[in-house]
Amino acid sequence: MVNKLTMYSNLKSWQLFLLLFLSGIVEGLIPLTDNDFMHLVLQCCAVIIYMHWVYSTAKQLNNRASSIIKLSWRFFKVNYVCTLIWIFFIFILPEPKNNVFDTFGSLIIPFHLYASFCVFYMLWFMSKSLTSLEANKETANKEILITLFLFGFLPIGIWWLQPRIRVILAV
């Protein structure tokens, strides 16, 4: 039986790319309207797979890197949940009918800013763990910039990240 957390670590770059972006590819091939239920289902599938990949990869990297660096797994999980809530609201909330800045808009802006921080923190967490494991010592923030960039630009970055992740997690 395959462990749910290790199911992505054995995939090659192209396999993970297809898995993460298959729903987007299918969505581009099938003509859908903006209000179509299938459109929402395909988007939700893509988000669920991506967020599960982020969680499982971060968990595995953190388990391996815990002897090298001390990162707060609890803070990562809080940020992960906040990101999931934010994504849930993005899918559910209707688009505003007018450009008036109302009370609801003023309430959602702070949460949106924190959710943006959460996404950046998750990418930083994974980058810090991966580079520290590769160097076998805690790396400085300036040393993780390229890896952070690759995590941030996932469709391109996955071709370089997944082989590195496979090597680190195979040991």
Side-chain angles (χ1 to χ4, degrees), residues 37-49:
F37 178 72
M38 190 63 167
H39 177 72
L40 182 64
V41 169
L42 289 172
Q43 284 182 340
C44 287
C45 286
V47 169
I48 289 168
I49 292 170

Side-chain angles (χ1 to χ4, degrees), residues 6-152:
T6 60
M7 67 185 259
Y8 300 109
S9 61
N10 296 327
L11 295 176
K12 295 182 175 142
S13 297
W14 65 271
Q15 293 169 327
L16 184 59
F17 180 85
L18 283 178
L19 181 64
L20 289 173
F21 298 102
L22 189 61
S23 64
I25 293 168
V26 170
E27 190 174 0
L29 295 175
I30 299 172
L32 299 170
T33 62
D34 288 343
N35 297 325
D36 198 359
F37 178 72
M38 190 63 167
H39 177 72
L40 182 64
V41 169
L42 289 172
Q43 284 182 340
C44 287
C45 286
V47 169
I48 289 168
I49 292 170
Y50 173 70
M51 292 304 289
H52 188 260
W53 176 76
V54 166
Y55 183 85
S56 64
T57 302
K59 178 73 173 163
Q60 289 177 13
L61 290 173
N62 185 53
N63 287 345
R64 294 278 173 109
S66 62
S67 62
I68 300 170
I69 56 175
K70 298 297 178 213
L71 296 173
S72 175
W73 178 246
R74 182 176 294 149
F75 189 58
F76 177 87
K77 289 192 297 187
V78 167
N79 288 324
Y80 182 81
V81 170
C82 286
T83 303
L84 290 177
I85 293 169
W86 176 61
I87 290 170
F88 178 72
F89 278 114
I90 294 294
F91 278 117
I92 287 182
L93 291 178
E95 292 184 27
K97 301 291 185 219
N98 53 24
N99 292 335
V100 177
F101 187 75
D102 59 354
T103 307
F104 181 72
S106 64
L107 293 175
I108 196 119
I109 288 176
F111 187 64
H112 177 71
L113 291 173
Y114 184 72
S116 299
F117 164 78
C118 292
V119 170
F120 181 78
Y121 178 77
M122 290 187 313
L123 299 177
W124 175 84
F125 184 95
M126 292 170 39
S127 301
K128 183 82 168 178
S129 299
L130 181 61
T131 55
S132 295
L133 281 168
E134 289 174 334
N136 204 20
K137 65 181 176 78
E138 186 169 356
T139 54
N141 285 336
K142 65 181 181 180
E143 297 173 20
I144 70 167
L145 287 178
I146 292 174
T147 306
L148 182 65
F149 178 79
L150 291 174
F151 273 115

